[in-house]
Amino acid sequence: TELSNPLTAATYLTDTYSSYVWTNNAPKATLGDSWYEYDSTTGTYSVKKGNLDDITANPDVVIASTFNGKPVTGIQDSAFANTGLTSITIPSTITSIGIVAFRNTGLTNIAIPGSVTSIGGGAFIECSSLISVTIPSSVKSISDNPFNDCYNLSTIIVDDGNAVYTSKDAEGNQCNRGT
């Protein structure tokens, strides 16, 4: 197949590699069925601890925005804890990140989508590779010690529109370690 036309290449890749999302020429694995749990009360799915082979095979992961036609709205407690996860794409349908959800992973950067309203305690605890975090204006609740033992974390950027949290000092200067 000739892939010189960008539209043709994108169509070819989408049709041929539908289980991957391509970003910067690197595939990101989608999570398998074992990672999703249905809540009949809300009619939504959340991400739970699943088959670790999915992450071992490819530690760059994409969470689906829908599963079985229903929205995926949460990341459960310990969902990715102690896995080899190095990169994650969180969809704009996620509203909560559970307690120690990403504990001791290899994440280096995390951009929390503007749909998230709560981050559980120790959500990123012991992520020693974590360098930067971006928190949107939508986050209204961050439980205790979300970034404990993240020794390389040097930048936390909180959106200026966040009415509850800030990453700026009294003079309006960005507060980051090492600056």
Side-chain angles (χ1 to χ4, degrees), residues 4-164:
S4 60
N5 178 324
L7 184 56
T8 303
T11 302
Y12 173 78
L13 291 174
T14 300
D15 291 345
T16 307
Y17 301 102
S18 61
S19 64
Y20 292 99
V21 174
W22 291 80
T23 307
N24 298 329
N25 297 323
K28 290 191 172 226
T30 56
L31 295 174
D33 293 359
S34 70
W35 288 87
Y36 297 96
E37 182 172 82
Y38 185 67
D39 180 341
S40 60
T41 305
T42 62
T44 63
Y45 279 89
S46 60
V47 179
K48 64 180 181 97
K49 181 77 89 179
N51 182 351
L52 293 181
D53 289 344
D54 292 347
I55 292 178
T56 302
N58 189 339
D60 299 326
V61 171
V62 173
I63 297 174
S65 60
T66 61
F67 187 76
N68 290 335
K70 306 283 186 189
V72 177
T73 61
I75 301 172
Q76 292 183 12
D77 297 351
S78 304
F80 296 99
N82 303 308
T83 65
L85 183 70
T86 59
S87 172
I88 192 154
T89 301
I90 301 172
S92 62
T93 55
I94 297 292
T95 59
S96 64
I97 297 173
I99 298 168
V100 298
F102 295 99
R103 178 185 194 155
N104 192 32
T105 62
L107 291 173
T108 56
N109 301 292
I110 188 81
I112 298 167
S115 55
V116 172
T117 59
S118 65
I119 300 172
F124 300 93
I125 194 169
E126 299 172 359
C127 289
S128 59
S129 299
L130 191 60
I131 297 167
S132 70
V133 176
T134 302
I135 299 173
S137 61
S138 58
V139 173
K140 305 300 181 226
S141 171
I142 301 175
S143 294
D144 294 339
N145 307 312
F147 305 109
N148 263 20
D149 299 328
C150 295
Y151 300 113
N152 290 307
L153 182 58
S154 59
T155 305
I156 298 175
I157 298 173
V158 178
D159 185 275
D160 287 339
N162 192 308
V164 180

